[in-house]
Amino acid sequence: MKGWIWRPITKMPLLDLSRANAPLRRVPAASIYIVSAGWAAWLFYLAATGGLGVEPIEALEHRYGLLALQILIAVLAITPLRQFTGLSLLRFRRAMGVSAFGFVLAHFLVWALLDVGAWGAIAADIVKRPYVTLGMVGFILLIPLALTSNDYAVRRMGAIRWRRLHKLGYLAALFGAVHFIWLVKGLQFEPLIYAAILLFLLSLRVRSRKSRAA
Amino acid sequence: MAKRWKNDLSIADVTPFAAYMNRRQIMAGAVGLIGATALGLGRANGQELVANSWDEITSYNNYYEFGTEKEDPRRNAGRLTTVPWTIEVDGLVDNPGTYDLAELIDGLEVEERIYRFRCVEAWSMVIPWNGIELADILNRVGVQDGANYVAFETVMRPDEMPGLRYPVLDWPYREGLRLDEAMHPLTIMATGIYGRPIPNQNGAPIRLVVPWKYGFKSIKSISRITLTRDEPFASWNRANSREYGFYSNVNPDVDHPRWSQATERRVGGGLFAGRQPTLMFNGYAAEVASLYEGMDLAAYY
């Protein structure tokens, strides 16, 4: 188990939130799945009944995609959060990662089935439109991660190989962020902010590796 | 004077004002589609042309001066002062000057024009505009020989337009047309929708509507009109000329570099309506194709 845990960069947390750990231990990790599935279903219901505005296909597609990116970023923030605040959300990481994948899948399905709607056009978009290609690659990268998000896979693969594989999460999240930057019109800040947060999280990880090697 | 173009959609295609209010309530109910169809108010998929509801037309807008989300303009555009309104007319015209809007359009005929509206983002609506042919306004100010283009500018009021804080585009928003496009009877300056004054989020008090071009050409809340010899600055074209041509005629055969323009999502169709084919020149080929005779539309997109 030792290999799982990152050595803290600083001994003293910047902001001590570790007191929240004890009550959080009583929250079952499975509750993340219930909240995520419920949320996805609620958004679908809203879209089908006019609650997401007059153009529900685009709205639902964007809501699922944005949630996927946000949850992925949250997953990648769990380790630094523990380093800097002592708050440990490790127990929820697997459920959050699988939920993020679920939202990516939902995002893809809305796009493919409700928006584009024709196999030829779906294939053409994936091949011809670089931002779609990139989103698709990010989605495919997440598939092995979702499939190995269980104890059996961790045992089969061994912790080292498993961890190496799951570093793909960074790449997938970055592809998602660039996919978002690429699809907006004009110079807009929102997608750039997500990319900046991701690069920041990635830089923390690189620094933490360096300090560990020293 | 006006009446140079006749609607191919009639008032019968427009859901009556009272009925679409009712319809929205019916649609919201569990028996939505069945009930609406029974009442003859249903909207089928495909090319049946029924005007979008007031709510649809006024809640789903691209007007980046008020924010980049579709619902931002309705939320933020209320701050825009539209009375009084002046339009500066300059360049190659006989009677340049700063006109009061009412004075500029006084006595010109306001017609109802039910047009398809196709956004470059591949969504579309059908909108019953009330407007004046741009040609009538241009004839009033007197176009001089040597003028080849008409340039338009949207009002720029940072105090009233929160989106201007962000450099999404090189503000103020500007657009332009070739003179023959501007003089075409389909080209109107809209002042109303459904017989009511045009709401701020749709470009009050006066906006351009060029139904065979992508929506961003139809510049909103116009405060300046300039007749020019050379092709004028056009905001999206300048921001990314590979993606947004000066002409930007609706063309299903020429894709946007990032997405296909072959099909469109009809706003108001709901979650399961799918897409419908996009028509050449947005369905106005018979009227406007001759303007582009001999031009390679893939090169002049």
Side-chain angles (χ1 to χ4, degrees):
Chain A
M1 277 311 272
K2 218 176 179 181
W4 285 77
I5 295 157
W6 289 95
R7 204 186 60 144
I9 297 170
T10 46
K11 289 248 161 59
M12 282 288 289
L14 288 176
L15 170 75
D16 193 358
L17 297 174
S18 58
R19 278 194 316 179
N21 288 340
L24 274 173
R25 263 193 287 277
R26 284 196 293 273
V27 180
S31 58
I32 298 280
Y33 291 116
I34 294 164
V35 171
S36 298
W39 201 347
W42 172 241
L43 286 174
F44 191 88
Y45 169 79
L46 285 180
T49 54
L52 292 187
V54 297
E55 220 294 67
I57 301 173
E58 184 204 32
L60 189 64
E61 198 172 298
H62 288 183
R63 295 289 278 273
Y64 282 162
L66 191 59
L67 271 166
L69 183 60
Q70 288 164 340
I71 299 170
L72 267 181
I73 288 174
V75 170
L76 299 174
I78 284 177
T79 295
L81 193 68
R82 200 173 56 82
Q83 288 171 346
F84 292 114
T85 70
L87 181 70
S88 178
L89 301 173
L90 277 177
R91 288 180 53 246
F92 304 106
R93 186 158 67 177
R94 174 184 290 170
M96 286 168 69
V98 173
S99 296
F101 174 76
F103 278 110
V104 174
L105 179 66
H107 171 70
F108 167 76
L109 289 175
V110 171
W111 172 77
L113 302 179
L114 299 179
D115 186 352
V116 182
W119 292 111
I122 292 168
D125 264 6
I126 291 172
V127 177
K128 273 168 66 181
R129 321 272 165 216
Y131 87 93
V132 180
T133 314
L134 201 65
M136 202 62 207
V137 172
F139 171 50
I140 290 167
L141 284 181
L142 285 176
I143 294 174
L145 274 61
L147 292 177
T148 54
S149 287
N150 53 71
D151 292 339
Y152 175 75
V154 179
R155 276 198 304 274
R156 263 303 289 266
M157 296 178 68
I160 309 264
R161 277 174 59 211
W162 187 91
R163 266 180 45 200
R164 201 178 292 150
L165 174 69
H166 280 247
K167 295 238 169 70
L168 283 179
Y170 277 98
L171 202 57
L174 269 176
F175 282 6
V178 176
H179 168 74
F180 188 15
I181 291 171
W182 213 330
L183 69 88
V184 297
K185 282 165 58 204
L187 175 62
Q188 296 190 36
F189 287 120
E190 193 192 349
L192 294 175
I193 291 167
Y194 288 106
I197 295 172
L198 264 170
L199 289 175
F200 172 70
L201 290 173
L202 199 57
S203 76
L204 287 179
R205 192 136 277 213
V206 171
R207 266 182 47 203
S208 134
R209 171 177 292 181
K210 271 190 192 147
S211 71
R212 209 164 43 140
Chain B
M1 292 300 291
K3 293 261 194 294
R4 282 177 286 246
W5 183 81
K6 204 174 170 311
N7 279 313
D8 58 345
L9 308 173
S10 77
I11 193 68
D13 295 310
V14 179
T15 307
F17 190 80
Y20 76 63
M21 299 302 283
N22 290 336
R23 185 185 60 198
R24 288 206 68 77
Q25 288 150 15
I26 294 164
M27 296 293 261
V31 289
L33 278 170
I34 304 157
T37 310
L39 290 169
L41 302 172
R43 178 190 294 133
N45 294 344
Q47 295 290 48
E48 187 194 333
L49 286 164
V50 180
N52 281 87
S53 71
W54 174 266
D55 187 49
E56 286 157 0
I57 295 166
T58 61
S59 72
Y60 192 79
N61 307 100
N62 277 332
Y63 196 161
Y64 283 6
E65 286 87 335
F66 295 106
T68 51
E69 298 291 320
K70 292 290 183 293
E71 60 272 23
D72 284 341
R74 179 160 71 170
R75 193 158 45 223
N76 298 327
R79 283 185 243 173
L80 183 68
T81 314
T82 57
V83 181
W85 192 269
T86 57
I87 298 181
E88 198 184 332
V89 181
D90 58 4
L92 300 168
V93 290
D94 295 330
N95 310 304
T98 303
Y99 290 83
D100 184 69
L101 173 59
E103 171 199 1
L104 184 65
I105 62 175
D106 181 50
L108 300 179
E109 185 166 2
V110 178
E111 288 181 53
E112 179 173 64
R113 296 287 179 94
I114 305 157
Y115 284 159
R116 297 176 198 87
F117 184 93
R118 170 61 156 78
C119 180
V120 73
E121 296 166 358
W123 54 265
S124 68
M125 297 192 190
V126 173
I127 303 176
W129 303 104
N130 309 96
I132 298 150
E133 285 186 13
L134 176 59
D136 286 347
I137 295 175
L138 293 179
N139 288 334
R140 173 164 283 184
V141 297
V143 178
Q144 293 185 342
D145 287 346
N148 298 318
Y149 294 91
V150 188
F152 305 86
E153 204 171 291
T154 295
V155 75
M156 185 154 121
R157 297 209 191 116
D159 295 344
E160 300 181 351
M161 299 171 137
L164 291 177
R165 279 183 301 212
Y166 305 100
V168 183
L169 289 167
D170 181 1
W171 311 115
Y173 194 86
R174 281 158 284 176
E175 261 307 339
L177 296 173
R178 222 168 55 186
L179 187 60
D180 58 342
E181 297 173 327
M183 298 298 277
H184 193 279
L186 279 180
T187 304
I188 59 165
M189 294 283 267
T191 54
I193 295 172
Y194 271 113
R196 308 160 100 196
I198 193 165
N200 288 0
Q201 62 266 38
N202 294 83
I206 189 161
R207 67 169 290 170
L208 183 68
V209 177
V210 193
W212 71 92
K213 291 176 180 284
Y214 292 120
F216 68 86
K217 292 294 289 183
S218 294
I219 181 170
K220 301 185 180 82
S221 307
I222 293 166
S223 63
R224 186 174 180 192
I225 300 173
T226 311
L227 275 290
T228 67
R229 187 179 306 275
D230 301 318
E231 187 181 290
F233 183 104
S235 293
W236 281 107
N237 176 238
R238 201 58 64 96
N240 193 336
S241 59
R242 205 173 66 88
E243 298 191 342
Y244 311 101
F246 177 77
Y247 286 94
S248 285
N249 295 317
V250 175
N251 187 341
D253 303 324
V254 176
D255 284 346
H256 184 282
R258 286 182 285 153
W259 54 80
S260 165
Q261 297 290 26
T263 57
E264 63 203 43
R265 282 191 303 259
R266 184 61 205 287
V267 170
L271 189 54
F272 306 104
R275 288 171 173 253
Q276 63 183 45
T278 288
L279 305 172
M280 188 64 203
F281 293 114
N282 203 24
Y284 300 98
E287 289 89 351
V288 301
S290 59
L291 295 176
Y292 309 101
E293 231 161 48
M295 277 173 71
D296 177 1
L297 295 178
Y300 296 94
Y301 50 89

